[in-house]
Amino acid sequence: MAGIRLPPEDSDASQARPPAAADLISDDDRSVAADSWSIKSDYGSTLDDEQRHFDASEALSAANFRAASDYNSDKEEPDAEAVQSMLGFQSYWDSQYADELANFREHGHAGEVWFGADVMEIVASWTKSLCSEFSQGHFSNHVDDSNCESVGQHEKEFANWSVLDIGTGNGLLLQELAKQGFSDLTGTDYSEGAIDLARSLADRDGFSNIKFLADDILETKLDRKFRVVVDKGTLDAIGLHPDGPVKRVMYWTSVSRLVAPGGLLVITSCNSTKDELVQEVDAFNQRRNSPSQELECSGDQEINRDPPPFRYIDHVRSYPTFMFGGSVGSRVATVAFQRN
């Protein structure tokens, strides 16, 4: 699972509504997709999916949480079909990567570069700059993503930073991060076909040190924490599932367990703006610090609150922007958060 395919900027398709799941997936496929959302892997026992959904639904109800696509006050009530598509189903990605793997074996093609090669390169170089700022101990709340070459002398300080790419797809983002000097790299995807393709491409391109594992971020079996976690389009795809709002809550709970204390989460999205992602993280932080989770002390002692799981750090500022309705935006947003 890698992300949403962006149409060319001059294409009329950019104004088209995403196809509804009901139009593109048969009842049998829908059943398969629902059953396969919770993958069965060799990394541990399968957790109780019903319990996960119950917990996420309870959190949604308690916090009156809305999906990121609903945050803008100027948006009308979203059309149920418009926010769902085949991209939210694992069956789609299994089919997609089966085709791309066959195409690679026959023609050597790497497949789609989701969001485009330019965005992938910006994400990798900007993440490197962000890590360099932290390794030097003087983060300035603004990383200059237009001049990333000046941090080369600090590569040794973060070359061993553990990096996890969730929903890695063909794994090309990890290859780009390897070119930037990162060496402890892991990619996960719930599609076995994606993992096979990523491994094949990494071996062909000389990046056999990158580790790839089949794993579902919503039911992750990983028992390791990473200093950097990157997501390029996975949260977008999760949000397009019919149960998107519930699954997004599950996503944040899982991701918070994978980012090491003080580590970084870098999310790239074409469905959410920078402000919408920050608001979604704030909502998650509020749920985690709800009154039911506070420890009340007797006497005059104050209530002890844990720090919020994440705090906003910075976002990429070099993407092309456009003006619409008096607001400035871009087709892609990359936002970094730090795990407290």
Side-chain angles (χ1 to χ4, degrees), residues 132-180:
S132 179
E133 290 283 336
F134 272 90
S135 68
Q136 296 174 63
H138 53 74
F139 183 71
S140 60
N141 286 323
H142 174 55
V143 174
D144 183 5
D145 43 286
S146 65
N147 182 20
C148 300
E149 298 301 323
S150 61
V151 300
Q153 64 270 27
H154 302 289
E155 286 186 2
K156 292 183 179 179
E157 300 179 29
F158 62 84
N160 292 323
W161 282 34
S162 55
V163 179
L164 171 67
D165 180 18
I166 52 179
T168 192
N170 56 21
L172 293 184
L173 176 57
L174 288 173
Q175 290 194 27
E176 201 63 35
L177 287 166
K179 296 174 186 176
Q180 296 291 335

Side-chain angles (χ1 to χ4, degrees), residues 186-203:
T186 302
T188 62
D189 202 293
Y190 67 0
S191 173
E192 292 277 1
I195 295 303
D196 289 343
L197 177 62
R199 284 175 178 157
S200 298
L201 288 169
D203 290 342

Side-chain angles (χ1 to χ4, degrees), residues 53-66 245-246 249 283-293:
H53 277 266
F54 176 79
D55 293 341
S57 298
E58 287 289 297
L60 279 171
S61 176
N64 193 26
F65 175 70
R66 297 176 298 166
V246 172
V249 173
F284 172 69
N285 289 339
Q286 292 171 10
R287 291 195 302 273
R288 289 293 295 268
N289 284 334
S290 63
S292 63
Q293 296 182 10

Side-chain angles (χ1 to χ4, degrees), residues 64-326:
N64 193 26
F65 175 70
R66 297 176 298 166
S69 59
D70 296 337
Y71 278 123
N72 285 349
S73 60
D74 60 341
K75 292 182 179 178
E76 298 179 355
E77 190 68 21
D79 187 307
E81 292 183 348
V83 297
Q84 300 172 12
S85 87
M86 60 183 180
L87 296 171
F89 291 92
Q90 183 179 348
S91 58
Y92 168 82
W93 296 107
D94 287 341
S95 175
Q96 176 79 6
Y97 285 114
D99 290 344
E100 293 199 0
L101 184 60
N103 198 27
F104 167 77
R105 288 170 175 168
E106 184 174 355
H107 304 290
H109 295 167
E112 295 287 345
V113 178
W114 301 103
F115 300 162
D118 290 345
V119 169
M120 180 177 67
E121 292 169 2
I122 288 174
V123 170
S125 60
W126 185 77
T127 300
K128 172 185 176 179
S129 296
L130 194 68
C131 294
S132 179
E133 290 283 336
F134 272 90
S135 68
Q136 296 174 63
H138 53 74
F139 183 71
S140 60
N141 286 323
H142 174 55
V143 174
D144 183 5
D145 43 286
S146 65
N147 182 20
C148 300
E149 298 301 323
S150 61
V151 300
Q153 64 270 27
H154 302 289
E155 286 186 2
K156 292 183 179 179
E157 300 179 29
F158 62 84
N160 292 323
W161 282 34
S162 55
V163 179
L164 171 67
D165 180 18
I166 52 179
T168 192
N170 56 21
L172 293 184
L173 176 57
L174 288 173
Q175 290 194 27
E176 201 63 35
L177 287 166
K179 296 174 186 176
Q180 296 291 335
F182 294 92
S183 58
D184 187 355
L185 299 164
T186 302
T188 62
D189 202 293
Y190 67 0
S191 173
E192 292 277 1
I195 295 303
D196 289 343
L197 177 62
R199 284 175 178 157
S200 298
L201 288 169
D203 290 342
R204 183 197 69 178
D205 298 337
F207 297 99
S208 57
N209 62 302
I210 301 176
K211 298 178 289 292
F212 292 103
L213 303 170
D215 187 67
D216 183 351
I217 180 58
L218 301 185
E219 295 188 354
T220 182
K221 307 304 184 294
L222 300 179
D223 57 2
R224 177 186 179 188
K225 295 183 183 297
F226 297 82
R227 199 166 180 185
V228 180
V229 174
V230 295
D231 171 346
K232 184 165 68 70
T234 297
L235 182 59
D236 286 346
I238 289 173
L240 293 173
H241 190 275
D243 294 331
V246 172
K247 291 184 180 296
R248 289 177 83 107
V249 173
M250 296 167 65
Y251 169 93
W252 287 107
T253 300
S254 293
V255 166
S256 67
R257 295 168 179 162
L258 293 174
V259 185
L264 300 173
L265 171 64
V266 179
I267 296 183
T268 299
S269 169
C270 72
N271 283 0
S272 300
T273 66
K274 168 254 182 183
D275 290 338
E276 287 172 338
L277 288 172
V278 170
Q279 286 177 304
E280 188 167 358
V281 167
D282 287 343
F284 172 69
N285 289 339
Q286 292 171 10
R287 291 195 302 273
R288 289 293 295 268
N289 284 334
S290 63
S292 63
Q293 296 182 10
E294 294 174 352
L295 293 176
E296 296 189 9
C297 301
S298 59
D300 295 329
Q301 290 180 315
E302 297 180 355
I303 296 177
N304 293 325
R305 293 175 180 265
D306 292 331
F310 292 104
R311 69 182 183 97
Y312 163 76
I313 294 295
D314 199 8
H315 67 281
V316 169
R317 292 168 165 82
S318 63
Y319 293 137
T321 60
F322 60 88
M323 178 74 72
F324 181 79

